Amino acid sequence: MQTHQKIAIVGSGLVGSLLAIYLKKEGHTVHVYDRSPDIREINFSGRSINLAMSNRGWKALDGVSVGDAVREIAIPMDKRAIHLVDKLNFQNYGQEGECIYSISRGILNRKMIDLAEAAGAEFYFNHKIWDITLADATLHIGETERGEWQELKYDMVFGADGAFSRIRHRMQRQSMFNYSQEFLNMGYKELHIPANADGTHKLDKNSFHIWPRGDYMLIALPNLDGSFTCTLFMPFEGENSFALLQEKEMVVAFFEKNFPDSIEVIPELADDFFKNPTSTLVTMKCFPWTFRDKIALIGDACHAIVPFYGQGMNAGFEDITILYEMIGKYGNDWKTIFAEYQKSRKPDADAIAELSYRNFMEMSTKTADPKFQLQKKIEKHFADKHPEKWIPLYSRVTFSTRPYSEALAIGDYQENIMLEVLKMNNIENIWDSLEVENLILEKLKIQ
Amino acid sequence: MQTHQKIAIVGSGLVGSLLAIYLKKEGHTVHVYDRSPDIREINFSGRSINLAMSNRGWKALDGVSVGDAVREIAIPMDKRAIHLVDKLNFQNYGQEGECIYSISRGILNRKMIDLAEAAGAEFYFNHKIWDITLADATLHIGETERGEWQELKYDMVFGADGAFSRIRHRMQRQSMFNYSQEFLNMGYKELHIPANADGTHKLDKNSFHIWPRGDYMLIALPNLDGSFTCTLFMPFEGENSFALLQEKEMVVAFFEKNFPDSIEVIPELADDFFKNPTSTLVTMKCFPWTFRDKIALIGDACHAIVPFYGQGMNAGFEDITILYEMIGKYGNDWKTIFAEYQKSRKPDADAIAELSYRNFMEMSTKTADPKFQLQKKIEKHFADKHPEKWIPLYSRVTFSTRPYSEALAIGDYQENIMLEVLKMNNIENIWDSLEVENLILEKLKIQ
């Protein structure tokens, strides 16, 4: 057990709530602040993408025994359902039994706050943090940015306040703070596939549905109530873009042409399209993440990534796992805990940012490409025969808890081998031959 | 002549003052705000690096006929004086007559403000801008960030307020604003070589003096009064670092060992070292630079670079040249002027940022490397014989006003040719042979 600390967490999102549970288990006083109202008392916003919980997320939840409570609201997906314009293909994600889990962000967030309250954390909603004094972990709270502020001093403060973190904002104004934010020229919009009248799902329930179309794509993830949360990813401007879809008829015509099998399952398409906002996609990197033994950033507040690997929440939860490894090693020495946490975690945050950015290319462009499908088939064939020699990159990221940076490095290595293999004569016909297998085995030896 | 506008410039530095002169010549009302006192009434700070004015800077100054006034306070430098531990080498910068010009930042800034006031610009010192309303170009001015503010509305506002721009700070909080700041793990410190008793210079007056030592270096640029402004660049931490020089004796011993010929010309070495601050080095990039027809960033406020190409001020001045090209093309259509200014200028700002970063490697590491010296010798030999076929990268950046992005691209192309040339057998002895010359000519044809 650690020496008792009075700790503030800024942000009552997924990472903030889970961190509150961890800190309460150690016996600390934990106050969680959020500028927004209690999500349990309002409707969700119509701008979220369903979450895909995978092994890193589950490990962090199970670390404080809340995994089972979350499993109750999760739907396993063992494959991609790839909707081409004229046919439907399925592609398993991993080995038998390996799944990712679809969860509604809003439902999970409500559950996490319930769990954190049950663990003894105190939540203060509608409390706006405008600034922080880093040296003595003092929050400045008030109704408006220019109005009167109240000061609240803590032993330490965690910034779990997302990609546009106010806590980071103050750290940014320190010298020697490295920072970057880069927006994709692409936005996303939430759409909705309702349940059938009998409460069943209109599409296969245990699939991650994807309509890859080159520079844009549609995805759909299942919800408990029989509905799917759909997300359209598309450039803001250009040939196929939000800018061109200005009228309801244009939207319907666009979907009829490009996502023909989606039309009958999205009845409110045109209304949803103009009711729901178009959101932006940003990659944010920074360093350092901590300030002495007083302040630490966690989750999106220190590494916001694009959603194309489904790892945003998983990476944020894993931050907590790593933080707790350091607490296990260094006890009450918070200065060292914070220093080692950021040092250990930064390369992995950079790696998953890179992988997520690259995976957009894979999801939107390559999943429809025969050469890419052949590559995946060869990899799978080889991995099935030599599971100890070839764990695919997707599995390393999704079904393992080894560091992201290791997954990235090995993934690049494997990709180079596959590029050689795909150059073989007549590879389309000999892809499952001994010759191919031996070439891969040979190349793996040279490592 | 343009339609009259009421314009605010935030920042009375070099770029802000020159921009004020340009805008006054068009007949606009120009108010220049600065949070600091009038630099003409205070001592300089002991934290600046002398400026190296080159062709891009002169072109912008001459565009409003203030070049000659500045030439009066400039000292031409036609060569590098390279101080190795045991000998002194000289290296011409360009062709006969090509020079860069050493100018004290403080003296130039005072002169520029005088010139801008003479042109009719009004300066408001000690006026702190805390925020700006982008949509209607309204400045928020006050004594303190949390105190009372006054609002001042303009037709347009230029943010010439440097790497930590307040105007940009507000733009950053818009969606889709790309931004990065990255600090080098290296700082710099100003030192001083006084004049001889008779007012002459203690080192060659018309040289840029450099003591390259691998991961650290000392430079010295001449001043009008016979002194030199020296700058020590060194890592903050590590083997040779500021962190290790904590006592006066350590500083003196370090200089005696590594810069032996500097000891007798820097009499106040140890005092200066601890009196003057250690400053940081940052590369800052962002986009967009403008907001509708209301706001435009210029100079360091939109592209702060490290000082290793001596192009920071020159690039900022050239922004004004480009802005005025757009004014020439688009007249009173400020929305198009701003859009085309940022579109045209951004790739060149990125290019000089990259070149400046790379040039640190060249200045600190390579100038002492025999292979690099051989490469420069071959380039110079070839360029002297075929001046129309081979303009060295340094000359393209420094003595030309062609775009920086073009210089970077051609420079990379030339570098690849030289890498091939340096691989030739016995190149040390045949470097000025016809064989080498023909190989270069051959490779240039393939372009």
Side-chain angles (χ1 to χ4, degrees):
Chain A
M1 201 59 136
Q2 287 190 296
T3 310
H4 172 269
Q5 305 279 347
K6 194 177 164 205
I7 299 176
I9 298 173
V10 180
S12 71
L14 304 172
V15 172
S17 306
L18 181 58
L19 177 61
I21 299 171
Y22 269 84
L23 293 169
K24 278 309 299 179
K25 298 254 159 156
E26 297 281 339
H28 302 303
T29 295
V30 179
H31 295 172
V32 184
Y33 291 91
D34 204 297
R35 58 197 307 110
S36 302
D38 188 342
I39 192 172
R40 294 168 300 186
E41 293 165 10
I42 55 166
N43 289 323
F44 308 144
S45 67
R47 62 187 307 152
S48 79
I49 308 168
N50 263 30
L51 301 163
M53 185 83 72
S54 55
N55 289 32
R56 296 169 201 272
W58 292 121
K59 180 178 175 183
L61 291 167
D62 289 330
V64 281
S65 310
V66 298
D68 288 342
V70 175
R71 282 182 187 91
E72 289 171 11
I73 55 170
I75 299 176
M77 302 179 291
D78 60 355
K79 58 192 171 303
R80 288 173 174 163
I82 303 173
H83 299 247
L84 304 178
V85 175
D86 53 355
K87 66 175 172 184
L88 181 61
N89 290 336
F90 291 94
Q91 206 177 66
N92 284 340
Y93 272 124
Q95 303 295 322
E96 188 68 35
E98 286 183 330
C99 296
I100 60 176
Y101 293 79
S102 174
I103 309 182
S104 147
R105 176 180 291 271
I107 291 172
L108 177 60
N109 207 155
R110 288 174 175 177
K111 169 82 78 174
M112 295 301 299
I113 293 172
D114 282 343
L115 291 165
E117 274 189 350
E122 296 165 47
F123 282 75
Y124 300 91
F125 297 102
N126 298 304
H127 278 61
K128 298 191 177 74
I129 311 293
W130 294 104
D131 203 354
I132 181 171
T133 307
L134 301 175
D136 60 3
T138 297
L139 298 176
H140 302 266
I141 305 184
E143 253 322 293
T144 65
E145 183 161 15
R146 299 271 301 141
E148 232 170 81
W149 291 351
Q150 188 192 350
E151 297 195 353
L152 291 172
K153 191 177 170 325
Y154 286 88
D155 294 324
M156 68 186 78
V157 171
F158 286 91
D161 48 345
F164 303 100
S165 168
R166 272 276 160 172
I167 307 303
R168 186 191 68 231
H169 195 255
R170 167 55 56 189
M171 291 172 71
Q172 243 167 289
R173 290 164 77 173
Q174 302 270 109
S175 192
M176 302 293 287
F177 190 84
N178 291 334
Y179 178 79
S180 74
Q181 62 184 40
E182 194 164 345
F183 287 82
L184 291 192
N185 181 27
M186 160 158 301
Y188 69 90
K189 191 182 280 288
E190 182 178 324
L191 299 168
H192 187 67
I193 300 177
N196 289 317
D198 63 357
T200 56
H201 288 80
K202 284 187 191 292
L203 304 174
D204 181 74
K205 174 185 170 180
N206 297 114
S207 292
F208 179 111
H209 293 268
I210 175 167
W211 290 255
R213 295 296 182 269
D215 56 348
Y216 61 100
M217 68 174 170
L218 181 69
I219 64 170
L221 283 86
N223 294 315
L224 284 179
D225 64 1
S227 69
F228 284 83
T229 301
C230 297
T231 313
L232 173 67
F233 294 93
M234 193 159 66
F236 288 109
E237 294 179 347
E239 198 188 348
N240 298 296
S241 70
F242 284 109
L244 292 186
L245 301 181
Q246 295 290 355
E247 306 284 342
K248 288 190 175 184
E249 305 76 53
M250 293 170 173
V251 173
V252 173
F254 183 83
F255 272 67
E256 275 173 347
K257 182 178 165 205
N258 297 299
F259 309 123
D261 64 341
S262 79
I263 281 289
E264 60 179 22
V265 297
I266 313 180
E268 306 288 329
L269 170 62
D271 286 341
D272 282 359
F273 193 92
F274 291 102
K275 190 184 69 197
N276 291 336
T278 307
S279 301
T280 58
L281 296 162
V282 68
T283 300
M284 190 284 302
K285 299 178 184 178
C286 68
F287 202 80
W289 293 0
T290 64
F291 182 86
R292 301 181 195 157
D293 58 350
K294 289 295 171 197
I295 316 290
L297 302 174
I298 195 158
D300 282 3
C302 48
H303 52 79
I305 60 180
V306 293
F308 305 112
Y309 227 116
Q311 286 293 312
M313 170 194 55
N314 289 289
F317 279 6
E318 195 175 56
D319 289 350
I320 302 174
T321 303
I322 301 299
L323 180 71
Y324 264 74
E325 276 180 33
M326 299 308 164
I327 290 172
K329 270 192 201 168
Y330 303 109
N332 287 300
D333 178 2
W334 282 93
K335 199 169 169 204
T336 304
I337 290 166
F338 281 3
E340 293 298 315
Y341 154 70
Q342 68 177 3
K343 188 175 149 197
S344 158
R345 195 63 183 147
K346 171 67 171 162
D348 294 315
D350 287 346
I352 192 59
E354 172 68 18
L355 286 164
S356 302
Y357 185 80
R358 288 189 197 173
N359 214 40
F360 165 66
M361 297 305 296
E362 180 166 328
M363 289 181 82
S364 67
T365 314
K366 293 189 189 163
T367 44
D369 172 6
K371 199 94 183 178
F372 175 76
Q373 288 171 355
L374 175 63
Q375 177 177 338
K376 290 290 143 187
K377 217 160 63 171
I378 299 170
E379 284 185 48
K380 187 172 178 343
H381 181 74
F382 184 84
D384 286 346
K385 282 186 102 162
H386 303 281
E388 78 296 346
K389 286 203 167 74
W390 193 282
I391 301 168
L393 176 58
Y394 185 87
S395 296
R396 288 183 191 277
V397 171
T398 308
F399 303 123
S400 146
T401 54
R402 297 285 309 161
Y404 286 126
S405 51
E406 180 185 292
L408 175 62
I410 297 175
D412 282 348
Y413 178 75
Q414 290 176 333
E415 181 70 17
N416 284 334
I417 292 176
M418 289 309 299
L419 289 177
E420 292 299 312
V421 169
L422 288 170
K423 279 184 200 156
M424 290 170 79
N425 278 331
N426 197 26
I427 181 66
E428 289 81 0
N429 298 313
I430 61 161
W431 66 271
D432 55 354
S433 67
L434 258 181
E435 189 188 347
V436 171
E437 184 179 335
N438 285 333
L439 176 68
I440 299 174
L441 284 169
E442 200 51 46
K443 294 207 167 276
L444 282 172
K445 272 191 213 142
I446 304 166
Q447 186 160 21
Chain B
M1 200 58 130
Q2 288 191 294
T3 309
H4 172 268
Q5 306 279 348
K6 193 176 165 205
I7 299 175
I9 297 173
V10 180
S12 72
L14 303 172
V15 172
S17 307
L18 182 58
L19 178 61
I21 299 171
Y22 269 82
L23 292 170
K24 278 312 298 179
K25 298 255 158 155
E26 298 281 339
H28 301 302
T29 296
V30 179
H31 295 172
V32 184
Y33 292 91
D34 205 296
R35 59 197 306 110
S36 302
D38 188 341
I39 192 172
R40 295 169 298 185
E41 293 166 10
I42 56 168
N43 288 323
F44 307 143
S45 66
R47 61 187 307 154
S48 79
I49 307 168
N50 263 30
L51 301 163
M53 185 84 71
S54 56
N55 288 34
R56 297 168 201 271
W58 291 121
K59 180 179 175 183
L61 291 167
D62 289 330
V64 281
S65 310
V66 298
D68 287 343
V70 175
R71 282 182 187 90
E72 289 171 12
I73 54 170
I75 300 176
M77 302 179 288
D78 61 354
K79 59 193 171 302
R80 288 172 173 162
I82 302 173
H83 299 248
L84 304 178
V85 175
D86 52 355
K87 65 176 170 183
L88 181 60
N89 290 337
F90 292 94
Q91 204 177 66
N92 284 341
Y93 273 122
Q95 304 294 323
E96 188 68 35
E98 286 182 330
C99 295
I100 59 177
Y101 293 80
S102 174
I103 308 181
S104 148
R105 176 180 292 270
I107 291 172
L108 178 59
N109 206 154
R110 288 174 174 177
K111 170 81 79 174
M112 294 301 299
I113 293 172
D114 282 344
L115 291 165
E117 273 189 349
E122 296 166 47
F123 282 75
Y124 300 92
F125 297 100
N126 297 305
H127 278 60
K128 297 191 177 73
I129 311 292
W130 295 105
D131 203 354
I132 180 170
T133 306
L134 301 175
D136 60 2
T138 297
L139 298 176
H140 303 267
I141 304 184
E143 251 324 290
T144 66
E145 182 161 16
R146 300 271 302 141
E148 232 171 82
W149 290 352
Q150 188 192 352
E151 297 196 353
L152 291 171
K153 193 177 169 325
Y154 286 87
D155 294 325
M156 68 187 79
V157 172
F158 286 91
D161 48 344
F164 302 101
S165 168
R166 273 275 160 173
I167 307 303
R168 186 191 69 231
H169 195 254
R170 168 54 59 189
M171 293 173 71
Q172 242 166 290
R173 290 164 78 171
Q174 302 271 108
S175 193
M176 302 293 288
F177 191 84
N178 290 334
Y179 178 79
S180 74
Q181 62 184 40
E182 194 165 344
F183 287 82
L184 291 192
N185 181 27
M186 161 160 301
Y188 69 89
K189 191 182 281 288
E190 183 178 323
L191 299 169
H192 187 69
I193 299 177
N196 289 316
D198 63 358
T200 56
H201 289 79
K202 284 186 191 292
L203 304 174
D204 181 75
K205 173 185 172 179
N206 297 114
S207 293
F208 179 112
H209 294 268
I210 174 167
W211 290 255
R213 295 295 182 269
D215 56 349
Y216 61 100
M217 67 175 171
L218 181 69
I219 64 171
L221 283 86
N223 293 314
L224 285 179
D225 65 1
S227 69
F228 284 84
T229 301
C230 298
T231 313
L232 173 66
F233 294 93
M234 193 159 65
F236 288 109
E237 293 178 347
E239 198 189 347
N240 298 297
S241 70
F242 284 109
L244 291 187
L245 301 180
Q246 296 290 355
E247 306 283 342
K248 290 191 175 185
E249 304 76 54
M250 294 170 172
V251 173
V252 173
F254 183 84
F255 272 67
E256 275 174 348
K257 180 178 165 204
N258 298 298
F259 310 121
D261 64 341
S262 79
I263 280 289
E264 61 180 23
V265 296
I266 313 181
E268 307 289 327
L269 171 62
D271 286 341
D272 282 359
F273 193 92
F274 291 102
K275 188 184 71 197
N276 291 337
T278 308
S279 301
T280 58
L281 296 162
V282 69
T283 300
M284 190 285 301
K285 299 179 182 177
C286 68
F287 202 80
W289 292 2
T290 65
F291 182 86
R292 300 182 195 155
D293 58 350
K294 290 294 169 199
I295 317 290
L297 302 174
I298 195 158
D300 281 2
C302 47
H303 52 79
I305 60 179
V306 294
F308 305 112
Y309 227 115
Q311 285 293 311
M313 171 194 55
N314 288 288
F317 280 5
E318 195 176 54
D319 289 350
I320 302 174
T321 303
I322 301 299
L323 180 72
Y324 263 74
E325 276 179 34
M326 298 309 163
I327 290 172
K329 271 192 198 168
Y330 303 109
N332 287 300
D333 178 1
W334 282 94
K335 200 170 166 201
T336 305
I337 290 167
F338 280 3
E340 294 298 315
Y341 154 70
Q342 69 177 2
K343 189 176 147 194
S344 157
R345 195 62 182 147
K346 170 67 171 163
D348 293 316
D350 287 346
I352 192 60
E354 172 68 18
L355 286 164
S356 302
Y357 185 80
R358 289 190 197 171
N359 214 39
F360 165 66
M361 296 304 295
E362 182 168 327
M363 288 180 83
S364 66
T365 314
K366 293 189 189 165
T367 42
D369 171 7
K371 198 94 184 176
F372 175 77
Q373 290 173 354
L374 175 62
Q375 177 177 338
K376 290 290 143 190
K377 216 162 62 172
I378 299 170
E379 284 185 48
K380 186 170 180 343
H381 181 73
F382 185 84
D384 285 346
K385 282 186 103 163
H386 303 281
E388 78 295 350
K389 286 203 168 76
W390 192 282
I391 302 169
L393 175 59
Y394 186 87
S395 296
R396 290 184 190 276
V397 170
T398 308
F399 302 122
S400 148
T401 55
R402 297 285 309 160
Y404 286 126
S405 51
E406 180 185 291
L408 175 61
I410 298 175
D412 282 348
Y413 177 76
Q414 290 177 333
E415 181 70 16
N416 284 332
I417 292 177
M418 289 308 300
L419 289 178
E420 291 299 311
V421 169
L422 288 171
K423 279 183 200 155
M424 291 171 78
N425 277 332
N426 197 26
I427 181 66
E428 289 79 2
N429 298 313
I430 61 162
W431 65 272
D432 55 354
S433 66
L434 257 182
E435 189 187 348
V436 170
E437 184 179 338
N438 285 333
L439 176 69
I440 299 175
L441 284 169
E442 200 52 47
K443 294 207 168 276
L444 282 171
K445 271 190 213 144
I446 304 168
Q447 188 159 23

